[in-house]
Amino acid sequence: MISNDAAEPAGGRGAQRFAAADTLRTLNRAGTVAGIDVAGAQLLRIGENAVYRLSDRIIARIARTAAYEPDARKEVAVARWLQGQGYPAVRALAIDQPIVVDDRVVTFWDVVSDKESYGSTAEVASLLVWLHRMEPPTSLELPSLQPFARAELRIDGNNWFGSEDRNFLRGRLGELRAGYADLEFALTPGVIHGDASVGNVIHDDAGDPVLIDLDGFAIGPREWDLVVTALYYDSFGWHTRQEYDAFAKTYGFDVMEWSGYAILRDIREFLMVTWLSQKAGDDERAAAEARKRISALRAGSDRRDWQPY
């Protein structure tokens, strides 16, 4: 589905290759450091992270550059806080992590389930209701949401873009920054997941929903977590009206009725384009989809033909 866009990296270098062979070499070195057997590792997907399944029910996540080390450190700390609170979230292995090798960041996690079964929109909402009521300890030091930092890194560090597209995206980024700065939020700010979609809620072996991909945790507007499900319905048609209604009813607030919805929707769509562009240099299917999405942003045309990644 969709990768996380909410956390801010500490800086960054130009893009390096992030294909399967490159990330597998990194995984082998990280496994040696951690004392984890990575033989026979199975690549599940490459997006913001390369995700591998290992033996002994372990998941390895490899971030693109060492710029994301603060995010990975936060993600592990968040997982341990949630575990201590009994919240249903993915568990980080009890080892010293994250591990930085090859200018990349590697973390290791328990497998949630042997089956790939995603949560419903109502289950996403129920987990958000629980999460949004929680008070993180000050020791966790969650950052404030800074939604645009990864976009800058993706635009400026990606050689796949031509000059026209790069200039267009930079200009659009400036417009969206200004729109976000003027928003008046309806809900009280607090702890947020950052990318709360059905793709980040997986059923465990007992069939219960579990929250995954914790690197976008921040303190920010709760609407940021709600807008993802709304635009999946509204912009893309990936959810039905009934699924969206179940989400809004379970949460108790319809973000589409809030005056700032259109701005957050446009920001999320833009971030989805910059995220996908990272894959374009190594994957012609992703490149074709990215070109289509950029054209849609330029023309303001319908998004119903966007394909989920």
Side-chain angles (χ1 to χ4, degrees):
M1 301 293 286
I2 308 302
S3 183
N4 178 279
D5 296 291
E8 179 182 8
R13 304 181 183 181
Q16 59 174 324
R17 283 186 54 82
F18 201 64
D22 310 291
T23 57
L24 185 58
R25 283 193 294 271
T26 298
L27 177 61
N28 284 326
R29 290 166 182 158
T32 299
V33 172
I36 293 174
D37 182 7
V38 302
Q42 175 188 2
L43 178 63
L44 301 181
R45 62 183 181 274
I46 293 182
E48 195 74 65
N49 298 275
V51 181
Y52 284 87
R53 175 158 182 160
L54 314 181
S55 59
D56 296 327
R57 293 176 60 85
I58 294 173
I59 293 290
R61 286 164 54 90
I62 305 171
R64 286 179 173 266
T65 78
Y68 297 115
E69 190 271 343
D71 292 336
R73 190 169 300 282
K74 174 192 66 179
E75 184 178 18
V76 171
V78 164
R80 290 175 176 157
W81 167 57
L82 294 176
Q83 183 174 7
Q85 298 298 306
Y87 185 91
V90 63
R91 308 305 190 201
L93 260 59
I95 61 173
D96 185 14
Q97 56 174 329
I99 295 165
V100 179
V101 289
D102 296 344
D103 195 35
R104 298 189 177 105
V105 188
V106 185
T107 52
F108 294 94
W109 304 82
D110 288 334
V111 167
V112 173
S113 174
D114 291 324
K115 298 179 181 179
E116 190 173 71
S117 173
Y118 292 102
S120 67
T121 54
E123 287 172 329
V124 174
S126 66
L127 289 180
L128 288 179
V129 168
W130 185 350
L131 178 67
H132 288 177
R133 290 174 177 166
M134 296 176 71
E135 292 288 340
T138 56
S139 60
L140 197 56
E141 297 182 337
L142 287 177
S144 297
L145 176 70
Q146 299 189 43
F148 299 106
R150 286 191 175 182
E152 289 181 324
L153 191 64
R154 293 165 184 166
I155 294 169
D156 294 338
N158 188 345
N159 295 327
W160 177 78
F161 289 124
S163 59
E164 287 190 9
D165 283 344
R166 193 187 311 279
N167 290 336
F168 165 73
L169 292 172
R170 285 173 176 161
R172 183 61 177 148
L173 177 59
E175 295 170 356
L176 293 172
R177 279 187 185 278
Y180 183 82
D182 289 339
L183 286 176
E184 295 184 5
F185 293 98
L187 302 176
T188 303
V191 62
I192 58 174
H193 174 270
D195 190 31
S197 72
V198 293
N200 283 332
V201 173
I202 294 179
H203 293 128
D204 63 16
D205 290 330
D208 297 320
V210 173
L211 193 65
I212 65 170
D213 285 5
L214 311 179
D215 57 326
F217 261 67
I219 300 298
R222 267 61 184 262
E223 291 88 345
W224 186 256
D225 274 350
L226 304 182
V227 75
V228 180
T229 300
L231 74 91
Y232 279 17
Y233 158 66
D234 182 37
S235 294
F236 311 131
W238 296 347
H239 293 316
T240 65
R241 180 75 217 192
Q242 292 75 17
E243 288 170 334
Y244 180 71
D245 286 346
F247 175 83
K249 181 178 180 181
T250 301
Y251 188 84
F253 178 79
D254 187 345
V255 73
M256 290 179 62
E257 296 181 357
W258 167 56
S259 62
Y261 164 68
I263 295 295
L264 279 198
R265 177 200 63 204
D266 290 352
I267 291 170
R268 281 292 197 173
E269 291 176 359
F270 178 84
L271 295 176
M272 289 170 65
V273 173
T274 63
W275 172 80
L276 183 61
S277 70
Q278 298 173 113
K279 299 167 63 72
D282 297 313
D283 182 339
E284 180 50 40
R285 178 171 169 265
E289 180 71 19
R291 292 187 197 103
K292 178 175 67 180
R293 293 185 181 187
I294 292 171
S295 295
L297 293 185
R298 285 181 180 275
S301 56
D302 192 90
R303 276 74 158 142
R304 293 276 164 158
D305 63 346
W306 287 23
Q307 299 300 310
Y309 268 79

